[in-house]
């Protein structure tokens, strides 16, 4: 499955790249010299500067290979722009994330060593990377080498921006406002569960099921608190970006926890939720809070708008991809919302017109973005008797030997 990770703010990020006029030039003598210095710094045959667009990667400068364009989905630098930290891989063939990558396997360049730093524009958006590559493994670079590479990366950005001064101020306030609005809207997902459970508590105060309802409300409240902390710690409001807090986690635990959270709402609507988990003992390197947010959104969509029988399936398909399917036996009528799911997720004026209780809302588009940050894919499949929301995560996210933290 060849899916690269995609930053949360990718639409704005790609726009910032396109708004950099100097990238349209064909010759960069100063940056070519920086690439040569990078090659010598790490004793590599190849060094390059990449620029990542919506669907492609171009090389404004390169030594050791020809400049050209490749699909973004097979770009190693697509991983580098996911954070502000350097990406260092001593042997790509031994890293589960890259061992089956087209740039690593037989038939491709068969790269082994990669070291790169993201090129961060003054606006905060990541343009691409400055990196060195070799077909032979390397020892881990020294702290001094990485520090020098970071300084060279800053020099590349300075050259690009020297004659390019796009005004981001007009859109900055809008980006910040959009991001805060998005976060505020999606926090209603666990709050919906809390309100539903509390409403039932008022009606059934003397019922024996009060402990279960109180438990559902407590779990949803805990999830909300955890989610808020995650957003505060791992978000960059200025650019509308969000990074992953990855840790070894067990999908079966997340699924059971989410089902418990929404059980109060499902029972009041006469709906049942069942779990078929064929990967009980599998740990994945994921952001558990964000994945649970996705599962909550999918289950709520089925509970509020789907059929009466809801099945959550967790399994590995014939390609080794890890699947999470949420299927219900209801009919799906929000065709416009489904079409918008596959469009670029641009938070703008339409966001303010959405209602937290209607149709798809933001739950499914946000799920798509979170799954794409995990290098996965999210799709919705519809037939005459059921609707299935399907999450696919790459097999390299499986943790072979690690102590589970969740």
């Amino acid at each position: 499955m060849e899916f690269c990770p995609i930053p949360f703010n990718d639409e704005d990020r790609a726009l910032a790249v396109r708004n950099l006029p100097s990238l349209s030039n064909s010759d960069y003598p100063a940056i070519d010299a920086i690439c040569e210095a990078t090659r010598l710094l790490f004793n590599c045959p190849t060094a390059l500067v990449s620029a990542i667009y919506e669907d492609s990667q171009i090389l404004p400068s390169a030594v050791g290979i020809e400049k050209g364009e490749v699909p973004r989905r097979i770009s190693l630098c697509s991983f580098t722009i996911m954070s502000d930290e350097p990406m260092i891989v001593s042997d790509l063939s031994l890293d589960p994330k890259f061992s089956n990558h087209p740039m690593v396997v037989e038939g491709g360049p068969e790269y082994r060593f990669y070291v790169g730093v993201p090129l961060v524009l003054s606006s905060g958006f990541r343009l691409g990377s400055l990196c060195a590559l070799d077909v032979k493994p390397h020892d881990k670079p020294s702290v001094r080498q990485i520090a020098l590479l970071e300084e060279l990366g800053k020099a590349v950005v300075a050259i690009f921006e020297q004659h390019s001064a796009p005004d981001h101020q007009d859109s900055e306030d809008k980006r910040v406002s959009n991001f805060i609005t998005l976060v505020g809207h999606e926090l209603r997902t666990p709050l919906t569960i809390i309100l539903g459970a509390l409403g039932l508590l008022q009606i059934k105060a003397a019922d024996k099921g009060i402990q279960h309802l109180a438990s559902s409300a407590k779990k949803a409240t805990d999830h909300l608190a955890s989610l808020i902390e995650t957003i505060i710690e791992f978000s960059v409001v200025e650019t509308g970006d969000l990074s992953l807090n990855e840790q070894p986690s067990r999908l079966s635990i997340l699924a059971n926890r989410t089902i418990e959270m929404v059980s109060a709402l499902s029972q009041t609507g006469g709906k049942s939720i069942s779990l078929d988990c064929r990967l009980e003992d599998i740990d994945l390197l994921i952001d558990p809070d964000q994945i649970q947010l996705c599962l909550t959104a999918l289950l709520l969509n089925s509970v509020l708008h789907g059929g009466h029988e809801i099945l959550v399936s967790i399994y590995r398909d014939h390609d080794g991809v890890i699947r999470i399917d949420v299927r219900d036996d209801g009919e799906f009528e929000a065709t416009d919302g489904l079409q918008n799911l596959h469009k670029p997720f641009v938070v703008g004026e339409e966001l303010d017109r959405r209602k937290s209780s209607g149709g798809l809302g933001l739950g499914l588009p946000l799920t798509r973005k979170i799954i794409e940050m995990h290098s996965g894919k999210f799709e919705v499949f519809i037939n005459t008797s059921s609707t299935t929301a399907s999450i696919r995560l790459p097999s390299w996210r499986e943790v072979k030997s690690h102590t589970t933290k969740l």
Side-chain angles (χ1 to χ4, degrees), residues 80-97:
T80 310
I81 67 168
M82 291 302 293
S83 78
D84 290 334
E85 300 299 318
M87 188 174 90
I88 307 165
V89 187
S90 295
D91 189 341
L92 293 159
S93 68
L94 299 181
D95 189 316
K97 185 184 298 184

Side-chain angles (χ1 to χ4, degrees), residues 136-257:
K136 299 183 299 183
H138 281 225
D139 293 332
K140 185 178 180 179
S142 67
V143 173
R144 177 179 176 276
Q145 284 176 302
I146 297 302
L148 287 172
L149 181 63
E150 290 177 323
E151 292 304 314
L152 291 172
K154 293 176 183 177
V156 170
V157 172
I159 293 169
F160 279 141
E161 292 188 327
Q162 184 175 8
H163 303 293
S164 306
D167 185 10
H168 297 281
Q169 188 61 44
D170 292 342
S171 60
E172 182 173 345
D173 292 340
K174 184 175 179 60
R175 287 199 306 269
V176 173
S177 175
N178 285 339
F179 183 73
I180 293 174
T181 305
L182 170 63
V183 170
H185 184 286
E186 284 310 316
L187 288 180
R188 295 174 186 157
T189 297
L191 283 176
T192 299
I193 302 167
I194 297 174
L195 293 174
L198 291 178
L200 285 175
L201 284 173
Q202 292 177 344
I203 298 173
K204 300 184 177 182
D207 191 275
K208 291 182 179 181
I210 191 170
Q211 291 183 349
H212 173 67
L213 297 175
S215 176
S216 294
K218 176 62 167 58
K219 287 181 173 62
T221 304
D222 290 341
H223 177 47
L224 174 58
S226 176
L227 186 59
I228 290 174
E229 292 302 318
T230 298
I231 290 171
I232 292 174
E233 183 176 358
F234 294 94
S235 65
V236 182
V237 175
E238 289 78 10
T239 61
D241 201 12
L242 180 67
S243 59
L244 298 177
N245 177 22
E246 296 177 326
Q247 54 187 283
S249 308
R250 193 153 293 183
L251 287 180
S252 58
I253 296 176
L254 286 177
N256 276 305
R257 181 181 299 172

Side-chain angles (χ1 to χ4, degrees), residues 62-73:
V63 293
I65 59 171
E66 292 185 6
K67 292 191 293 185
E69 180 176 324
V70 298
R72 178 180 180 174
R73 62 183 175 81

Side-chain angles (χ1 to χ4, degrees), residues 287-401:
D287 185 322
D289 288 327
Q290 300 295 348
I291 293 297
Q292 187 170 353
L293 176 62
C294 294
L295 288 173
T296 303
L298 299 187
L299 281 175
L300 276 180
N301 192 65
S302 288
V303 168
L304 297 175
H305 309 292
H308 287 81
E309 300 292 331
I310 303 168
L311 174 64
V312 180
S313 302
I314 301 175
Y315 61 100
R316 194 191 313 274
D317 70 12
H318 61 279
D319 293 322
V321 174
I322 296 155
R323 296 281 294 265
I324 309 171
D325 291 348
V326 177
R327 177 184 178 275
D328 67 70
D329 58 353
E331 295 181 358
F332 192 98
E333 297 179 354
T335 54
D336 291 339
L338 183 59
Q339 291 173 357
N340 290 333
L341 170 65
H342 300 284
K343 294 179 180 179
F345 185 78
V346 179
V347 182
E349 293 180 357
E350 293 183 3
L351 174 64
D352 300 324
R353 300 174 188 158
R354 292 182 183 268
K355 298 179 180 179
S356 60
S357 61
L360 292 175
L362 282 172
L364 298 192
L366 180 60
T367 294
R368 176 180 70 81
K369 292 204 62 78
I370 292 173
I371 297 308
E372 287 178 348
M373 289 175 65
H374 282 80
S375 302
K377 189 169 185 179
F378 174 63
E379 296 178 295
V380 176
F381 302 100
I382 303 170
N383 59 41
T384 55
S385 60
S386 67
T387 301
T388 301
S390 181
I391 291 171
R392 288 190 282 172
L393 295 172
S395 58
W396 58 257
R397 287 204 167 271
E398 181 179 344
V399 181
K400 299 299 182 181
S401 59

